[in-house]
Amino acid sequence: MHSFPGSDPGRFLVRSNRPLLLLLLFITLLLIGMPDAFAHAVAEGDKGYIQEITGVNLIAFMYLGAKHMVTGYDHLLFLLGVIFFLYRMQHIAIYVSLFAVGHSVTMLLGVYFNIGINSYIIDAIIGLSVVYKALDNLGAYQRWFGFQPNTKAATLIFGLFHGFGLSSKIIEYDISPDGLVPNLFAFNVGVEMGQLIALAMILIAMSFWRKTDGFFRHAYTANVAMMGAGFLLIGYQLTGYFIA
């Protein structure tokens, strides 16, 4: 007969599955935090501030960029998917750098050249990136099609779409052209800082979870939950597009 340490099997099960429960709670809170609308956007107070200020405001835009990334649940879900099965720091650095290059290029060029994409459509594509990465982690493409897509290329390409998501939000708020370029670079620096903060928190949680015996057993459930979150994001965006 299988025995559990201690006198309370239920308590042991909860303790052994705690990292998975925390991850699922994280995904649930992200979904609950999806606003009053269908896309994460700059908060109303920040929106008003962006529209009112003129000139070079590096610290303010760095803060706004970091805040946008740390609270950007779609970016965080994709980032979680990207590093889910990466163990070596050099591999994590390569993939995160590809993602950063992708969204930096399209964010900067998109705003500077006023290349806007409908925010609902671009956010639906970002939701699709979460679904894509979850399926990739589940090995679906090898089973379905018999080949493995280039994961580095996919990370860069979806990074480009994530950047257009950022640029589309900024364009909507019609920020002042006075100091635009340095403010954009400051915003992007803030985005990267926010990404590093979020990445550090994700890696800390993942490092504890990977040390448990149940990591591989529950990885499937976690990626299915992540895929479901991606589909919900797509549904929210497309619903917003058709009723807007």
Side-chain angles (χ1 to χ4, degrees):
M1 181 176 178
H2 185 78
S3 60
F4 294 93
S7 58
D8 188 347
R11 184 179 301 173
F12 171 75
L13 286 172
V14 170
R15 186 166 61 248
S16 64
N17 292 330
R18 187 173 297 166
L20 174 63
L21 295 174
L22 289 175
L23 178 61
L24 295 177
L25 177 62
F26 169 73
I27 293 174
T28 302
L29 290 175
L30 289 179
L31 296 177
I32 292 174
M34 288 193 311
D36 14 24
F38 304 97
H40 81 272
V42 178
E44 285 300 315
D46 295 337
K47 172 184 174 181
Y49 178 73
I50 289 173
Q51 292 174 329
E52 291 175 3
I53 61 175
T54 59
V56 177
N57 295 272
L58 301 182
I59 301 300
F61 275 89
M62 285 176 61
Y63 165 76
L64 291 173
K67 179 180 178 181
H68 189 81
M69 176 57 78
V70 170
T71 59
Y73 46 81
D74 46 7
H75 300 303
L76 297 182
L77 283 173
F78 182 74
L79 193 62
L80 171 63
V82 168
I83 63 94
F84 199 93
F85 286 119
L86 296 179
Y87 294 87
R88 304 181 67 177
M89 287 307 298
Q90 55 263 47
H91 294 161
I92 294 172
I94 289 171
Y95 279 87
V96 172
S97 296
L98 287 170
F99 181 56
V101 168
H103 68 65
S104 296
V105 167
T106 47
M107 191 277 286
L108 293 170
L109 295 181
V111 176
Y112 187 78
F113 291 105
N114 197 34
I115 304 172
I117 299 177
N118 183 283
S119 60
Y120 291 116
I121 297 299
I122 193 64
D123 281 336
I125 295 173
I126 292 174
L128 178 63
S129 73
V130 176
V131 174
Y132 172 91
K133 192 57 197 172
L135 287 172
D136 186 31
N137 289 343
L138 294 170
Y141 307 118
Q142 291 178 331
R143 291 197 302 272
W144 294 348
F145 309 114
F147 78 97
Q148 172 62 47
N150 188 309
T151 54
K152 292 186 178 68
T155 301
L156 176 61
I157 291 169
F158 278 121
L160 295 172
F161 283 108
H162 280 249
F164 273 125
L166 292 169
S167 68
S168 297
K169 301 289 190 308
I170 296 173
I171 290 172
E172 287 176 2
Y173 300 132
D174 193 26
I175 65 176
S176 171
D178 182 17
L180 176 63
V181 172
N183 286 339
L184 280 181
F185 275 100
F187 185 87
N188 192 62
V189 169
V191 166
E192 302 311 324
M193 291 171 60
Q195 179 171 277
L196 289 175
I197 292 171
L199 178 65
M201 293 188 294
I202 292 172
L203 286 176
I204 290 172
M206 292 294 291
S207 66
F208 282 107
W209 186 21
R210 287 168 177 165
K211 292 176 183 177
T212 66
D213 295 333
F215 172 68
F216 286 104
R217 187 168 65 252
H218 299 303
Y220 177 87
T221 303
N223 277 279
V224 169
M226 189 161 56
M227 180 173 60
F231 277 122
L232 281 175
L233 290 172
I234 295 171
Y236 274 118
Q237 307 308 330
L238 293 181
T239 302
Y241 175 77
F242 286 112
I243 69 173

